[in-house]
Amino acid sequence: MAVGEWSPPSVLLTVDLVILTLREGRLCVLLVERGEDPFRGMRALPGGFLNNPAEEILDAAHRELGEETALAAGWVHLEQLAVYGDAGRDPRGRVVSVAHLAIAPGLPEPVAGTDASDAGWVPAEAVLSGEVELAFDHHRIVADGVERARAKLEHSALATAFCGELFTIAELQQVYEAVWGAELDTRNFYRKVQAVKGFIVPGGPGRRSTGGRPARLYRAGPRAVLYPPLIRPVPSDAEESTTEEGR
């Protein structure tokens, strides 16, 4: 090829959103039903193309959050997850997605918009297990988003993003159990949480009735990195596998 004949390939850029919340004690992800081709009628993550060449990627993520679901961006913890750019991931051409992870407590029922014909919360486990099929490579993106959340709960204060402004330690434990998919010992959890100075702080003199003794209320503290960390339990099947390998 002679000098000056090369031109860059045409690449389109989208944002996709892995939005997680707890509903009835279960970790749920927001999915939309696609109203347009490709994959019309299939479930997918909310997202879309940049609105114009000057739009910032984070601004596009906030815009899609509102357009696809009518959820208020101010409610949501939003961070960039990863970039997905496999050549065959989208039949419309070379499309690169900048995926974001969003987390908020008690999110309302979404309202579909733009190219989505429906939107709703689906248990994350139903997606991870393959029970619910997704368009494009969105199963991989959901799996990466859930794993990011699980890992960050160990070393950061991300768990408080699933809670309201005030919460009990029992409610915080429910977050860890729902995201990790594991039951935790209550007294051990309480001890570990209290050992991390600045993770949570008293929320005032008020208490919340939980069916037994009224529980003390807390709020997110100033500490963003947890030390010592709260290490998630090893799944029982992994423990069995490790035992078998050691025999």
Side-chain angles (χ1 to χ4, degrees):
M1 178 182 297
V3 176
E5 292 184 4
W6 180 86
S7 60
S10 176
V11 178
L12 298 173
L13 188 65
T14 68
V15 292
D16 287 307
L17 304 172
V18 181
I19 306 174
L20 301 178
T21 195
L22 296 190
R23 295 181 69 82
E24 299 181 351
R26 305 180 72 182
L27 180 66
C28 292
V29 59
L30 183 64
L31 300 178
V32 300
E33 182 179 315
R34 288 188 56 79
E36 299 179 354
D37 290 325
F39 305 112
R40 182 192 299 266
M42 287 192 66
R43 290 179 177 177
L45 292 171
F49 293 98
L50 294 185
N51 194 39
N52 58 73
E55 185 177 37
E56 298 293 342
I57 292 175
L58 184 58
D59 291 340
H62 281 296
R63 175 179 54 77
E64 287 292 340
L65 185 67
E67 289 183 356
E68 294 277 12
T69 67
L71 295 177
W75 283 69
V76 180
H77 163 89
L78 190 66
E79 65 178 68
Q80 186 171 312
L81 174 62
V83 176
Y84 299 84
D86 290 355
R89 64 180 302 273
D90 193 316
R92 293 170 294 189
R94 189 65 187 272
V95 179
V96 174
S97 173
V98 181
H100 290 72
L101 174 65
I103 294 171
L107 291 176
E109 287 296 331
V111 178
T114 62
D115 63 348
S117 60
D118 193 14
W121 297 103
V122 175
E125 185 54 40
V127 176
L128 299 178
S129 68
E131 176 184 345
V132 174
E133 295 185 6
L134 302 185
F136 305 104
D137 55 356
H138 288 185
H139 179 277
R140 174 189 174 190
I141 299 176
V142 171
D144 289 348
V146 171
E147 177 55 31
R148 166 75 68 85
R150 288 173 173 170
K152 290 195 72 171
L153 256 60
E154 295 187 82
H155 301 280
S156 80
L158 183 67
T160 59
F162 285 96
C163 300
E165 181 180 359
L166 296 175
F167 51 87
T168 65
I169 291 183
E171 289 168 340
L172 185 65
Q173 181 177 336
Q174 290 173 4
V175 171
Y176 277 88
E177 291 181 334
V179 176
W180 283 348
E183 186 174 344
L184 304 176
D185 179 79
T186 298
R187 286 186 295 180
N188 193 36
F189 180 79
Y190 184 93
R191 177 180 58 80
K192 289 182 177 180
V193 167
Q194 295 285 29
V196 184
K197 302 301 182 183
F199 177 21
I200 59 175
V201 296
R207 291 178 177 266
R208 180 173 297 164
S209 176
T210 59
R213 293 176 57 189
R216 189 175 186 179
L217 293 174
Y218 294 84
R219 67 176 73 245
R223 181 177 290 275
V225 178
L226 304 187
Y227 185 82
L230 278 68
I231 304 301
R232 57 180 146 167
V234 177
S236 57
D237 55 348
E239 290 178 336
E240 292 173 2
S241 175
T242 302
T243 301
E244 290 293 332
E245 292 175 358
R247 289 178 179 173

